[in-house]
């Protein structure tokens, strides 16, 4: 049985070309990029190349607007904390109810420990941001807005360019969590009002533990990690040269293939969706039908927990994700589906299938072959889900 991986919004397979680009920086050019000898210079030059590759992918005006970090979570934390430090008269944060925990957990902590006021803008049934609530929250007390470009669970795309323009009008900084959008959406940051943007290598066929924060040249900024002068003082610590080289290569490949891959994964995704809706009654797709990543579908099945389906699919070698996070055996409903009020229809959430450049037609065939039976069995209550009964 060949494994089928449909959980690319959680992490992706590292492209072999990326691995090959990284290897010399483990084995030969391992010098410290700050060192004055040849090995250091080679590492430093490779980091410069990676910065240019990210500049090209994001449409940043200057390559030095890219600072490398340890990943999406660090970038998001850095952006929000920096924004809060800029002006003592501004003590509020505007974010959405459906952000990644990288933003939500930090905001909750700041609310509790520093008395920061956090506006969590709600979404409608389709996961679309409430623009009236956003407009109302935007005042001169807001230090920073942090909103995702695309949602990791449903693929819903927010109009971040417009949201950034609105934030600018009240003098607030705007940070976009673009971890799910970079490599999937065309970007031209130089023509937007976005001040900061977070991205992560492992969501675009690069290695884990490396990412970047875009910081517009004139945007005020305070470092989170302090120490040496690396990354122009914006992120101290000896650079993760192999990781940064891998991220750069992954960015180059993503840019080259974006249009073609978007079309290809969209047709796989749409065929899966259509097939599920046709074959299984009481099934619906969540998220914005008009503005959605082409690789993502989040499907809810009436009367069954997404987790149960995910569990059985996993036994058949298919990796996907359920909308709920499993914490020490008890399941917690996804905050995204809760914010969308999906709870009224299904108690425990949905199944997310997310595609990448490594998925093929056969993957869709296999899922469509298996799921109707799994759903029917679960709905009958005929298949108590336990590890012992694989077939
Ligand atoms: C994965 C993800 C992150 C976190 O990135 P890491 O590199 O895993 O820390 C942040 N935001 C979104 C939307 C994500 O999907």
């Amino acid at each position: 049985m060949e494994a089928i991986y449909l959980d690319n919004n959680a992490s992706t397979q590292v492209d072999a070309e990326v691995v090959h680009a990284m290897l010399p920086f483990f084995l030969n050019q391992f010098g410290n990029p700050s060192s004055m000898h040849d090995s250091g210079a080679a590492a430093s030059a490779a980091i410069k190349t990676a910065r240019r590759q990210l500049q090209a992918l994001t449409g940043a005006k200057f390559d030095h607007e890219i600072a490398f970090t340890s990943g999406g979570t660090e970038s998001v934390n850095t952006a929000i904390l920096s924004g809060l430090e800029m002006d003592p008269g501004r003590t509020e944060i505007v974010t959405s109810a459906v952000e990644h925990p990288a933003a939500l957990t930090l905001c909750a902590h700041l609310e509790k420990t520093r008395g920061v006021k956090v506006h969590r803008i709600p979404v409608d049934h389709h996961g679309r941001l409430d623009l009236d609530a956003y407009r109302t929250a935007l005042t001169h007390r807001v230090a920073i807005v942090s909103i995702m470009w695309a949602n990791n669970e449903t693929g819903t795309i927010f109009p971040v360019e417009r949201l950034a323009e609105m934030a600018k009008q009240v003098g607030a900084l705007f940070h976009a969590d673009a971890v799910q959008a970079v490599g999937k959406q065309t970007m031209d940051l130089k023509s937007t009002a976005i001040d900061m943007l977070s991205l992560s290598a492992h969501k675009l066929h690069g290695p884990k533990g490396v990412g970047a924060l875009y910081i517009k040249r004139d945007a005020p900024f305070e470092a989170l990690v302090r120490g040496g002068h690396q990354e122009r003082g914006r992120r101290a610590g000896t650079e993760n040269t192999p990781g940064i080289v891998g991220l750069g290569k992954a960015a180059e490949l993503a840019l080259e293939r974006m249009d073609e891959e978007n079309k290809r994964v969209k047709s796989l995704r749409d065929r899966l969706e259509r097939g599920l809706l046709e074959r299984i009654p009481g099934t619906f797709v969540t998220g914005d039908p008009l503005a959605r990543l082409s690789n993502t579908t989040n499907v809810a099945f009436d009367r069954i927990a997404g987790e149960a389906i995910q569990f059985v699919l996993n036994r058949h070698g298919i990796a996907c994700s359920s909308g709920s996070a499993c914490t020490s055996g008890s399941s917690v409903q996804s905050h995204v589906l809760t914010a969308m009020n999906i709870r009224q229809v299904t108690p425990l959430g949905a199944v997310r299938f997310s595609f990448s450049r490594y998925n093929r037609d056969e993957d869709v065939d296999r899922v469509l072959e298996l799921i109707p039976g799994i759903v029917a069995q679960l709905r009958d209550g005929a298949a108590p889900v336990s590890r012992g009964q694989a077939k």
Side-chain angles (χ1 to χ4, degrees):
M1 183 175 67
E2 224 190 295
I4 294 176
Y5 188 79
L6 288 168
D7 198 15
N8 290 281
N9 286 11
S11 198
T12 55
Q13 179 178 339
V14 181
D15 195 297
E17 279 194 57
V18 168
V19 177
H20 288 303
M22 293 172 71
L23 280 176
F25 298 91
F26 287 112
L27 300 171
N28 311 112
Q29 314 289 12
F30 47 77
N32 190 316
S34 297
S35 296
M36 303 307 280
H37 45 62
D38 287 356
S39 183
S44 170
I47 291 172
K48 201 171 162 66
T49 302
R51 227 183 285 287
R52 295 235 171 92
Q53 286 161 322
L54 281 165
Q55 180 192 7
L57 182 63
T58 58
K61 189 164 186 182
F62 306 103
D63 63 352
H64 62 72
E65 290 175 323
I66 304 292
F68 293 107
T69 67
S70 70
T73 301
E74 184 191 319
S75 295
V76 171
N77 272 250
T78 303
I80 294 174
L81 289 168
S82 168
L84 266 186
E85 280 193 46
M86 286 308 125
D87 177 348
R90 292 177 181 262
T91 55
E92 300 183 4
I93 300 176
V94 173
T95 187
S96 84
V98 297
E99 295 300 302
H100 188 273
L104 284 184
T105 310
L106 174 65
C107 287
H109 174 76
L110 293 169
E111 197 169 36
K112 213 169 92 186
T113 58
R114 292 200 206 164
V116 170
K117 182 164 175 55
V118 179
H119 302 266
R120 295 174 184 81
I121 308 301
V123 296
D124 68 9
H125 270 66
H126 289 300
R128 295 176 295 214
L129 201 71
D130 181 338
L131 286 178
D132 289 331
Y134 181 63
R135 207 170 281 117
T136 307
L138 283 180
T139 66
H140 287 85
R141 293 187 301 276
V142 175
I144 181 156
V145 177
S146 181
I147 293 198
M148 64 204 329
W149 195 307
N151 187 272
N152 46 303
E153 288 188 29
T154 62
T156 299
I157 295 167
F158 285 155
V160 281
E161 291 166 349
R162 182 166 160 218
L163 301 176
E165 288 292 343
M166 291 164 73
K168 197 176 173 179
Q169 281 160 25
V170 295
L173 288 166
F174 190 93
H175 164 252
D177 172 354
V179 173
Q180 289 296 342
V182 170
K184 299 172 189 160
Q185 292 282 295
T186 308
M187 288 181 188
D188 189 35
L189 290 177
K190 62 180 152 317
S191 61
T192 71
I194 294 168
D195 296 293
M196 289 181 278
L197 176 138
S198 293
L199 62 94
S200 176
H202 77 99
K203 304 284 174 82
L204 55 138
H205 303 290
K208 289 166 185 63
V210 59
L213 180 62
Y214 158 85
I215 309 157
K216 208 180 202 59
R217 184 166 70 166
D218 301 325
F221 179 76
E222 286 290 337
L224 172 64
V225 180
R226 287 163 191 279
H229 61 270
Q230 294 92 350
E231 299 299 287
R232 297 178 168 231
R234 294 169 304 182
R235 204 287 191 175
T238 303
E239 298 88 338
N240 171 6
T241 312
I244 291 169
V245 167
L247 169 54
K249 189 68 190 175
E252 183 189 299
L253 297 175
L255 182 59
E256 259 169 43
R257 303 175 186 182
M258 194 183 316
D259 294 342
E260 189 191 324
E261 273 304 307
N262 271 341
K263 269 188 227 126
R264 205 185 62 83
V265 296
K266 181 173 187 302
S267 91
L268 293 176
R269 191 272 314 265
D270 289 351
R271 191 161 74 81
L272 175 66
E273 255 177 30
R274 268 198 316 276
L276 292 175
L277 295 175
E278 272 165 26
R279 279 162 229 223
I280 309 170
T283 307
F284 61 98
V285 175
T286 74
D288 188 343
L290 297 176
R292 196 161 55 120
L293 294 175
S294 16
N295 80 315
T296 308
T297 181
N298 190 283
V299 189
F301 301 86
D302 229 356
R303 295 190 291 120
I304 16 178
E307 270 172 322
I309 300 175
Q310 186 211 331
F311 187 85
V312 183
L313 281 176
N314 183 53
R315 288 202 325 237
H316 288 89
I318 297 172
C320 61
S321 158
S322 60
S324 50
C326 197
T327 323
S328 56
S330 70
S331 60
V332 182
Q333 166 149 340
S334 142
H335 68 286
V336 176
L337 298 185
T338 303
M340 290 163 67
N341 235 342
I342 300 288
R343 177 198 296 144
Q344 294 165 338
V345 198
T346 24
L348 278 169
V351 184
R352 177 187 70 192
F353 300 97
S354 46
F355 291 84
S356 81
R357 74 175 63 131
Y358 294 107
N359 292 117
R360 296 290 170 259
D361 266 328
E362 298 80 75
D363 302 347
V364 174
D365 296 338
R366 183 98 182 100
V367 174
L368 286 177
E369 201 178 284
L370 280 170
I371 289 204
I374 294 172
V375 170
Q377 274 197 327
L378 289 169
R379 279 185 178 156
D380 287 351
V385 180
S386 74
R387 282 199 181 274
Q389 48 154 206
K391 62 173 185 188

Coordinates of all heavy atoms in Angstrom, one line a residue, residues 80-116:
I80 N 4.6 41.1 15.9 CA 3.5 41.6 16.8 C 4.2 42.3 18.0 O 3.8 43.4 18.4 CB 2.6 40.5 17.3 CG1 1.8 39.9 16.2 CG2 1.7 41.0 18.5 CD1 0.9 38.7 16.5
L81 N 5.3 41.7 18.6 CA 5.9 42.3 19.7 C 6.6 43.6 19.3 O 6.6 44.6 20.0 CB 6.9 41.3 20.3 CG 6.2 40.2 21.1 CD1 7.2 39.1 21.4 CD2 5.6 40.7 22.3
S82 N 7.2 43.6 18.1 CA 7.9 44.8 17.6 C 6.8 46.0 17.4 O 7.0 47.1 17.9 CB 8.5 44.6 16.3 OG 8.9 45.8 15.7
G83 N 5.7 45.6 16.8 CA 4.6 46.6 16.6 C 4.2 47.3 17.9 O 3.9 48.5 18.0
L84 N 4.1 46.5 19.0 CA 3.6 47.0 20.3 C 4.6 47.9 20.9 O 4.2 48.7 21.8 CB 3.4 45.8 21.2 CG 2.0 45.2 21.3 CD1 2.0 44.2 22.4 CD2 0.9 46.3 21.6
E85 N 5.9 47.9 20.5 CA 6.9 48.7 21.2 C 7.0 50.1 20.6 O 7.8 50.9 21.1 CB 8.2 48.0 21.1 CG 8.4 46.9 22.1 CD 9.9 46.4 22.2 OE1 10.8 47.3 22.2 OE2 10.1 45.2 22.2
M86 N 6.4 50.3 19.4 CA 6.7 51.5 18.7 C 6.2 52.8 19.2 O 6.9 53.8 19.1 CB 6.2 51.3 17.2 CG 6.9 50.4 16.4 SD 8.7 50.8 16.5 CE 9.3 49.3 17.0
D87 N 5.1 52.8 19.8 CA 4.5 54.1 20.3 C 3.7 53.8 21.6 O 2.7 53.1 21.6 CB 3.5 54.5 19.1 CG 2.8 55.8 19.4 OD1 2.8 56.2 20.6 OD2 2.1 56.3 18.5
P88 N 4.1 54.4 22.7 CA 3.5 54.2 24.0 C 2.0 54.5 24.0 O 1.2 54.0 24.8 CB 4.3 55.0 25.0 CG 5.3 55.8 24.2 CD 5.3 55.4 22.8
G89 N 1.6 55.4 23.1 CA 0.2 55.8 23.0 C -0.7 54.8 22.3 O -1.9 54.9 22.4
R90 N 0.0 53.8 21.7 CA -0.8 52.8 21.0 C -0.6 51.4 21.7 O 0.4 50.9 21.8 CB -0.3 52.7 19.6 CG -0.7 53.9 18.7 CD -0.1 53.7 17.3 NE -0.4 54.9 16.5 CZ -1.4 55.0 15.6 NH1 -2.2 54.0 15.5 NH2 -1.6 56.1 14.9
T91 N -1.7 50.9 22.3 CA -1.6 49.7 23.1 C -2.6 48.6 22.7 O -2.8 47.7 23.4 CB -1.9 50.1 24.6 OG1 -3.2 50.7 24.6 CG2 -0.9 51.1 25.2
E92 N -3.2 48.8 21.5 CA -4.2 47.8 21.1 C -3.7 47.0 19.9 O -2.9 47.5 19.1 CB -5.5 48.5 20.8 CG -6.1 49.2 22.0 CD -7.4 49.8 21.7 OE1 -8.0 49.6 20.6 OE2 -7.9 50.5 22.6
I93 N -4.2 45.8 19.8 CA -3.8 44.9 18.7 C -5.1 44.5 18.0 O -6.1 44.2 18.6 CB -3.2 43.6 19.1 CG1 -1.8 43.9 19.9 CG2 -2.9 42.6 18.0 CD1 -1.2 42.6 20.5
V94 N -5.1 44.5 16.7 CA -6.3 44.0 15.9 C -5.8 42.8 15.2 O -4.8 42.7 14.5 CB -6.8 45.1 14.9 CG1 -7.9 44.4 14.0 CG2 -7.3 46.3 15.6
T95 N -6.6 41.7 15.4 CA -6.3 40.4 14.7 C -7.6 39.8 14.4 O -8.7 40.4 14.5 CB -5.4 39.5 15.6 OG1 -4.9 38.4 14.9 CG2 -6.1 39.1 16.9
S96 N -7.6 38.5 13.9 CA -8.9 37.9 13.5 C -9.1 36.7 14.5 O -8.2 36.3 15.1 CB -8.9 37.4 12.1 OG -8.3 36.2 12.0
A97 N -10.3 36.2 14.5 CA -10.7 35.1 15.3 C -10.1 33.8 14.8 O -10.2 32.8 15.5 CB -12.2 35.0 15.5
V98 N -9.6 33.8 13.6 CA -9.3 32.5 13.0 C -7.8 32.4 12.7 O -7.3 31.6 11.8 CB -10.1 32.3 11.6 CG1 -11.5 32.2 11.9 CG2 -9.8 33.5 10.6
E99 N -7.0 33.2 13.4 CA -5.5 33.2 13.1 C -4.9 31.9 13.6 O -5.5 31.1 14.3 CB -4.8 34.3 13.9 CG -5.2 35.7 13.5 CD -4.8 36.0 12.0 OE1 -3.7 35.9 11.7 OE2 -5.7 36.3 11.3
H100 N -3.7 31.6 13.1 CA -2.9 30.5 13.6 C -2.5 30.7 15.1 O -2.4 31.9 15.5 CB -1.6 30.5 12.7 CG -0.8 29.2 13.0 ND1 0.2 29.1 13.9 CD2 -0.8 28.0 12.3 CE1 0.7 27.9 13.9 NE2 0.2 27.3 12.9
P101 N -2.3 29.6 15.8 CA -1.9 29.8 17.2 C -0.7 30.7 17.4 O -0.5 31.3 18.5 CB -1.7 28.4 17.7 CG -2.5 27.5 16.8 CD -2.6 28.2 15.5
A102 N 0.2 30.8 16.4 CA 1.4 31.6 16.5 C 1.0 33.0 16.9 O 1.7 33.7 17.6 CB 2.1 31.6 15.2
A103 N -0.1 33.5 16.4 CA -0.6 34.9 16.7 C -1.6 34.8 17.9 O -1.5 35.6 18.8 CB -1.3 35.5 15.5
L104 N -2.5 33.9 17.9 CA -3.6 33.9 18.9 C -3.0 33.7 20.3 O -3.5 34.3 21.2 CB -4.6 32.8 18.6 CG -5.6 33.2 17.4 CD1 -6.6 32.1 17.3 CD2 -6.3 34.5 17.7
T105 N -2.1 32.7 20.4 CA -1.6 32.4 21.8 C -0.8 33.6 22.3 O -0.9 34.0 23.5 CB -0.7 31.2 21.7 OG1 -1.4 30.2 21.0 CG2 -0.3 30.7 23.1
L106 N 0.0 34.2 21.5 CA 0.8 35.4 21.9 C -0.2 36.5 22.3 O 0.0 37.2 23.3 CB 1.7 35.9 20.8 CG 2.5 37.2 21.1 CD1 3.4 37.0 22.3 CD2 3.2 37.7 19.8
C107 N -1.2 36.8 21.5 CA -2.1 37.9 21.8 C -2.8 37.6 23.1 O -3.0 38.5 24.0 CB -3.2 38.0 20.7 SG -2.5 38.8 19.2
A108 N -3.2 36.4 23.4 CA -3.9 36.0 24.6 C -3.0 36.3 25.8 O -3.3 36.8 26.9 CB -4.4 34.6 24.6
H109 N -1.7 36.0 25.6 CA -0.7 36.2 26.7 C -0.5 37.6 26.9 O -0.4 38.1 28.1 CB 0.6 35.5 26.2 CG 1.8 35.8 27.1 ND1 1.9 35.1 28.4 CD2 2.8 36.6 27.0 CE1 3.0 35.5 29.0 NE2 3.6 36.4 28.2
L110 N -0.4 38.4 25.9 CA -0.2 39.9 26.1 C -1.4 40.5 26.7 O -1.3 41.5 27.5 CB 0.0 40.5 24.7 CG 1.3 40.2 24.0 CD1 1.4 40.6 22.6 CD2 2.5 40.7 24.8
E111 N -2.6 40.0 26.4 CA -3.8 40.5 27.0 C -3.8 40.2 28.5 O -4.1 41.1 29.3 CB -5.0 39.7 26.4 CG -6.3 40.3 26.5 CD -7.3 39.5 25.6 OE1 -7.1 38.3 25.4 OE2 -8.2 40.2 25.1
K112 N -3.4 39.0 28.9 CA -3.4 38.6 30.3 C -2.3 39.3 31.1 O -2.5 39.7 32.2 CB -3.2 37.1 30.4 CG -3.9 36.4 31.5 CD -3.9 34.9 31.4 CE -2.7 34.3 32.1 NZ -2.6 32.9 31.9
T113 N -1.1 39.4 30.5 CA 0.1 39.8 31.3 C 0.4 41.3 31.2 O 1.0 41.9 32.1 CB 1.4 39.1 30.9 OG1 1.6 39.3 29.5 CG2 1.2 37.6 31.2
R114 N 0.0 41.9 30.1 CA 0.3 43.3 29.9 C -0.9 44.2 29.7 O -0.7 45.4 29.4 CB 1.2 43.5 28.6 CG 2.6 42.9 28.7 CD 3.5 43.5 27.7 NE 4.5 42.6 27.3 CZ 5.3 42.7 26.2 NH1 5.1 43.7 25.4 NH2 6.3 41.9 26.0
G115 N -2.1 43.7 29.9 CA -3.3 44.5 29.7 C -3.5 45.0 28.3 O -4.2 46.0 28.2
V116 N -2.9 44.4 27.3 CA -3.1 44.9 26.0 C -4.5 44.6 25.5 O -5.0 43.5 25.8 CB -2.1 44.1 25.0 CG1 -2.4 44.4 23.6 CG2 -0.7 44.5 25.4

